[in-house]
Amino acid sequence: MKYNAIVIGVSAGGMEALSTIIPQLSPDLPVPVLIVQHMSPDSDSYLIERLNELSDIKVKEAEDKEKVREGVVYFAPPNYHLLVDDEGILSLSGDERVNYARPAIDVLFESAADVYCPGLIGVILTGANQDGSAGLKKIKEEGGIAIVQDPETAFVDRMPRAALEVVEADHILPLETIGAMLNTLAIIDSIVLD
Amino acid sequence: MGNIKRENIEIQLLLDAIFQKYGYDFRSYSRAHVKRRILRRLAMTDLETVSDMIKEVLYHPDFFDKLLLDLSINVTEMFRDPSFYMTVRKEIIPVLRTYPFLKIWHAGCSTGEEIYSLAILLQEEGLYGRVQIYATDFNEVVLEKAKEGIYPIDFIKDYTVNYQQAGGTRSFSDYYSAHYDYVIMKKALRERVVFADHNLVTDGVFGEMNMIICRNVLIYFNQELQGNVHKLFLESLCPGGFLCLGSKESLRFSKYYDSFTAVLEKEKIYRKKYGDIIAPLKKQPVPETQGPISKI
């Protein structure tokens, strides 16, 4: 299977989780990575700057009508939903909150599923709510891959557990191995099976 | 896996039906956004598929009215992004002060909260007496609300904080009177405002403006439609006129980027370049010392 994109949803405990996963990603990743991290509407760009320093792969805030590129990690800006339009054009939206969140993981996952499935990898990490479950379910229904952080290794296990209740995950992994798995799926699988 | 493809066909047909019957054109909106709004409405009905909605839209205008409200984003607040208003106060007002008469177009004003914010700011800066504000939206329902200027009192606390952060110089309660659960904005704030129906997707140049404010509207459009509207704004601005977009709306990916100068990139405030005519203007550029306002 050749994959087109990776989407990641994370909430409480995200700083630590992402600081583990993102620096493990290969700068040659042949797919874009789109991330929703729940945060306060007036957060600054510290998380992005920090992850950019720690990682070889480029990390940036998603801009409206930007075309996604391979090997780049995009974050939904605080207070905006991030959606993927046809041809991998990113759109932002100030639409009402979903699951009490803006940006919401479901909004990203569902729109990404429309454009990228079946070649989409969805990842749910630590968090204290159930945002992302519906989106991950849609990714699975449309033939994509679902990865969920092993709740035992999550800072807060509610979000991974909520996802596992509605989705039969392809991989349930401890935090430390998720980055390597994403590299494998995106790089190795596309070479071997293409 | 056929679901997505079928749904996309249905949505295209629904948007075609809406355009042909009602003249509202959502075909060039961000597809992901439109799809989300339509599916959300679908989930609130007894209908099973988007195809069922087509019949509903064609035969029941009431249903269309609901869908129209869904498709027009009406998330707004007073002094939204206070730092924008603070920047206008500090950086833009001194320039606007040099004009003897001002025309400001607030495109996509929704329920009007930002119109009253602008009117308050201009009053405090002593410019209100020589300004004409055009507040437009394509949705008549929200435009009517904007005209009324009645808002739930629950929001006033947040608005007051915004007002203060935006550099407000008085007490925010000077600008409204409270009646039970609502406040009504003072009439004077509407005196220099013309509320008008204008659709950025289908309607043309609006007049020659010193400043255009259009915040968090264009993100819902696709890139091509954004470009059309950038051109419309360019043609509607006087040379040196200001264009104020939402904090996440950049001209960077627009083909009209070179026709503007980024004055304050962080707040997405741009100026139309002088002497840079990109397309035949529909009328001669009016000198900055223009006389009384012409009818729009």
Side-chain angles (χ1 to χ4, degrees):
Chain A
M1 177 56 135
K2 186 170 180 347
Y3 292 100
N4 304 314
I6 296 168
V7 288
I8 299 176
V10 58
S11 186
M15 182 74 198
E16 187 205 353
L18 293 169
S19 304
T20 305
I21 294 175
I22 308 298
Q24 293 174 350
L25 295 178
S26 162
D28 301 323
L29 208 65
V31 298
V33 181
L34 304 162
I35 300 181
V36 165
Q37 152 86 74
H38 290 160
M39 51 181 123
S40 125
D42 29 55
S43 336
D44 58 16
S45 51
Y46 171 77
L47 173 71
I48 290 174
E49 285 162 18
R50 181 78 186 122
L51 287 171
N52 217 357
E53 280 169 19
L54 291 174
S55 317
D56 292 333
I57 194 166
K58 182 178 163 66
V59 182
K60 73 185 291 286
E61 185 175 279
E63 294 178 73
D64 185 55
K65 302 300 163 298
E66 181 174 18
K67 177 137 177 53
V68 294
R69 283 177 292 139
E70 299 175 351
V72 178
V73 177
Y74 300 89
F75 271 85
N79 215 18
Y80 286 84
H81 294 302
L82 173 63
L83 300 96
V84 189
D85 266 317
D86 297 343
E87 292 155 18
I89 302 280
L90 298 178
S91 276
L92 302 180
S93 148
D95 214 349
E96 62 215 23
R97 288 159 181 265
V98 174
N99 308 317
Y100 309 103
R102 189 174 54 219
I105 301 166
D106 279 342
V107 174
L108 170 65
F109 279 24
E110 288 170 13
S111 70
D114 268 0
V115 174
Y116 293 124
C117 270
L120 180 63
I121 302 168
V123 185
I124 292 289
L125 303 174
T126 166
N129 49 51
Q130 54 178 13
D131 190 22
S133 294
L136 197 66
K137 187 161 177 256
K138 176 162 179 181
I139 292 174
K140 275 295 282 183
E141 283 168 1
E142 300 299 335
I145 292 266
I147 298 177
V148 177
Q149 180 179 0
D150 180 350
E152 300 293 327
T153 73
F155 182 73
V156 184
D157 65 2
R158 177 134 182 254
M159 204 157 87
R161 285 197 196 283
L164 290 172
E165 271 169 31
V166 297
V167 175
E168 197 177 327
D170 296 279
H171 307 278
I172 302 171
L173 299 171
L175 186 60
E176 292 69 29
T177 64
I178 292 176
M181 175 58 90
L182 294 176
N183 285 333
T184 305
L185 288 172
I187 301 172
I188 312 289
D189 281 11
S190 69
I191 295 168
V192 176
L193 301 174
D194 204 12
Chain B
M1 258 177 271
N3 280 355
I4 288 173
K5 197 170 173 212
R6 192 201 61 224
E7 237 167 37
N8 289 346
I9 295 170
E10 289 178 294
I11 283 171
Q12 186 64 41
L13 292 172
L14 175 64
L15 297 181
D16 283 344
I18 290 173
F19 179 61
Q20 287 187 43
K21 174 138 172 80
Y22 298 98
Y24 289 98
D25 192 353
F26 293 102
R27 296 171 301 177
S28 303
Y29 273 48
S30 152
R31 186 49 60 95
H33 163 74
V34 164
K35 183 168 182 178
R36 181 154 195 97
R37 302 300 296 193
I38 289 173
L39 294 182
R40 186 172 154 276
R41 172 55 58 188
L42 180 63
M44 291 160 69
T45 66
D46 296 331
L47 305 170
E48 278 179 16
T49 65
V50 177
S51 298
D52 297 336
M53 289 176 88
I54 298 174
K55 184 177 174 195
E56 204 64 19
V57 157
L58 289 175
Y59 284 88
H60 301 107
D62 289 358
F63 180 78
F64 170 69
D65 288 343
K66 280 187 205 151
L67 196 55
L68 185 64
L69 269 179
D70 291 336
L71 291 171
S72 69
I73 295 295
N74 298 306
V75 182
T76 182
E77 55 190 76
M78 292 212 193
F79 295 97
R80 175 182 192 164
D81 303 323
S83 69
F84 166 74
Y85 286 91
M86 183 62 115
T87 306
V88 169
R89 207 184 267 274
K90 282 188 177 159
E91 312 283 342
I92 311 299
I93 292 288
V95 181
L96 296 183
R97 220 183 276 289
T98 65
Y99 295 98
F101 194 85
L102 280 171
K103 287 205 274 183
I104 300 178
W105 176 18
H106 195 121
C109 69
S110 189
T111 39
E113 283 85 338
E114 294 202 64
I115 291 298
Y116 293 99
S117 312
L118 177 68
I120 289 169
L121 191 150
L122 290 167
Q123 256 192 12
E124 292 185 357
E125 295 298 329
L127 285 176
Y128 194 57
R130 46 176 152 137
V131 69
Q132 182 72 56
I133 300 172
Y134 301 96
T136 67
D137 203 282
F138 75 83
N139 188 317
E140 284 171 40
V141 177
V142 298
L143 209 51
E144 201 50 48
K145 285 191 179 165
K147 231 181 277 185
E148 287 172 352
I150 300 172
Y151 303 107
I153 203 160
D154 301 350
F155 299 146
I156 291 299
K157 204 175 148 197
D158 289 343
Y159 293 169
T160 305
V161 174
N162 280 0
Y163 166 75
Q164 286 159 351
Q165 288 177 352
T169 58
R170 294 171 60 175
S171 166
F172 190 54
S173 58
D174 291 352
Y175 298 109
Y176 60 82
S177 10
H179 300 272
Y180 300 102
D181 296 339
Y182 291 90
V183 302
I184 178 157
M185 302 310 292
K186 289 275 167 74
K187 204 176 154 200
L189 297 171
R190 273 186 291 273
E191 261 163 20
R192 314 290 298 181
V193 184
V194 175
F195 292 91
D197 187 347
H198 183 275
N199 190 329
L200 288 171
V201 184
T202 46
D203 296 342
V205 172
F206 199 73
E208 186 149 85
M209 302 291 152
N210 303 101
M211 181 168 173
I212 295 175
I213 302 172
C214 182
R215 300 174 69 217
N216 289 20
V217 175
L218 301 190
I219 45 176
Y220 302 105
F221 297 175
N222 72 16
Q223 205 161 16
E224 187 190 349
L225 179 53
Q226 274 192 0
N228 294 347
V229 178
H230 292 153
K231 181 164 181 277
L232 173 65
F233 287 163
L234 198 55
E235 290 173 350
S236 305
L237 277 172
C238 67
F242 292 94
L243 174 62
C244 306
L245 300 175
S247 63
K248 299 295 171 194
E249 296 177 309
S250 176
L251 284 177
R252 265 185 50 206
F253 305 111
S254 169
K255 59 180 166 180
Y256 297 102
Y257 182 70
D258 291 338
S259 304
F260 291 93
T261 315
V263 203
L264 294 152
E265 179 67 39
K266 186 178 167 286
E267 296 295 346
K268 303 295 184 288
I269 297 175
Y270 302 88
R271 271 189 109 165
K272 176 174 171 174
K273 282 184 180 168
Y274 286 92
D276 192 60
I277 310 292
I278 47 99
L281 285 169
K282 293 202 168 54
K283 53 186 175 185
Q284 288 300 310
V286 181
E288 281 176 35
T289 52
Q290 66 196 74
I293 152 186
S294 55
K295 200 168 167 351
I296 51 165

